[in-house]
Amino acid sequence: MRTALLQSSGTPGSIAANLKALDEAAARAAEAGADLLAAPELYLTGYAIGDDVPRLAETADGASAAAIADSAVRHGVAIAYGYPERDGEQVFNSVQLIGPDGARLANYRKTHLFGCFERDSFTPGEQSVVQAELGGMRVGLMICYDVEFPENVRAHALAGTDLLLVPTAQMHPFQFVAESVVPVRAFENQMYVAYVNRVGQEGEFEFVGLSTLAGPDGVARTRAGRGEQLVFADADPVFLAASRQANPYLSDRRPGLYASLV
């Protein structure tokens, strides 16, 4: 599955501008033969939007979802994007995956909120493993801080996730997560992990870029720099199957020894 990672902070506060930029990125991704385009955490609205979170939040089936579904169909590419999701009186930090036919395949709500801004603005999600079938692979969804909890990613591995999409808003000085933690998560769980970040200064936050897609061998298939980029890499199910056979971490587990973890 050829995967495009859109490393960008878009235009914070302007949904219209970000929808336009996402559509343009989908066109470029499709032209390069990508099956899937992934955008960062809260890409639809911007991250450092403060009190505008409730005003800009939308339902999972709202106007922006319809616009992105139209873009996915026109370009023939699946799209995963981060956005603030309204559900009644609650707002979640969410990522939604829309298929190349415009169908809403999966919607995940961030379970581990990071810092005062997120904890003050969002309700934490309660479902750790959200997946969808896409292009013959099982795609899982997660957001930023979630991937830093080993139990979270292992739960995806045990549920059969092949490619884990992680839209993120990783900031200075935590760039080691993109450089070291993500490849290790991919290796120890025998899956592909696509980690797609924001970039540049936004309010008080300095996002570090370094978006990557790491393989089950712990090797980065692509890695962006510190600027706006659209980078590509392949998630190969044949290589994944061979890697899992050579590295049988999941079958060699002894769960009876791990009761203290929970």
Side-chain angles (χ1 to χ4, degrees):
M1 181 184 298
R2 190 153 178 77
T3 304
L5 309 182
L6 175 60
Q7 179 167 286
S8 171
S9 286
T11 305
S14 176
I15 291 176
N18 294 327
L19 285 173
K20 183 175 184 295
L22 190 60
D23 181 72
E24 292 170 349
R28 292 164 56 202
E31 185 177 355
D35 306 291
L36 170 64
L37 169 67
E41 180 177 5
L42 294 174
Y43 181 77
L44 191 61
T45 59
Y47 184 89
I49 56 175
D51 294 340
D52 276 344
V53 168
R55 179 179 67 84
L56 295 176
E58 297 187 20
T59 60
D61 60 353
S64 292
I68 293 169
D70 177 71
S71 180
V73 170
R74 282 188 290 104
H75 301 299
V77 61
I79 300 175
Y81 66 99
Y83 74 110
E85 178 196 354
R86 176 169 295 286
D87 186 355
E89 295 301 312
Q90 295 180 312
V91 177
F92 299 90
N93 182 341
S94 297
V95 55
Q96 181 152 232
L97 174 63
I98 293 179
D101 60 354
R104 293 171 47 237
L105 300 180
N107 189 72
Y108 169 78
R109 296 166 171 176
K110 190 174 185 178
T111 54
H112 297 76
L113 301 178
F114 178 81
C116 295
F117 163 65
E118 290 191 17
R119 288 192 289 268
D120 290 344
S121 300
F122 301 104
T123 299
E126 295 296 333
Q127 185 175 358
S128 60
V129 177
V130 173
Q131 301 167 310
E133 298 295 326
L134 180 68
M137 301 190 78
R138 186 168 296 179
V139 177
L141 301 176
M142 194 173 280
I143 299 175
C144 198
Y145 194 39
D146 291 328
V147 81
E148 296 176 40
F149 292 82
E151 304 89 343
N152 245 18
V153 187
R154 179 51 55 89
H156 267 275
L158 294 174
T161 293
D162 299 314
L163 170 60
L164 183 62
L165 301 182
V166 189
T168 188
Q170 187 59 264
M171 55 198 73
H172 178 80
F174 304 111
Q175 50 266 31
F176 65 88
V177 175
E179 294 170 337
S180 301
V181 174
V182 168
V184 169
R185 289 287 179 271
F187 179 68
E188 68 191 4
N189 291 289
Q190 288 300 293
M191 62 173 63
Y192 287 93
V193 180
Y195 188 78
V196 53
N197 199 11
R198 305 181 69 83
V199 67
Q201 195 75 32
E202 189 178 334
E204 63 182 288
F205 306 108
E206 180 190 348
F207 299 113
V208 299
L210 302 176
S211 298
T212 188
L213 193 151
D217 54 359
V219 175
R221 299 300 192 270
T222 187
R223 187 180 298 283
R226 298 299 185 97
E228 299 236 349
Q229 284 182 264
L230 183 66
V231 296
F232 299 86
D234 294 323
D236 180 358
V238 175
F239 181 85
L240 178 60
S243 182
R244 285 172 171 172
Q245 186 172 9
N247 301 283
Y249 289 125
L250 299 186
S251 61
D252 285 349
R253 292 169 64 250
R254 297 180 61 193
L257 300 179
Y258 315 143
S260 63
L261 294 177
V262 294

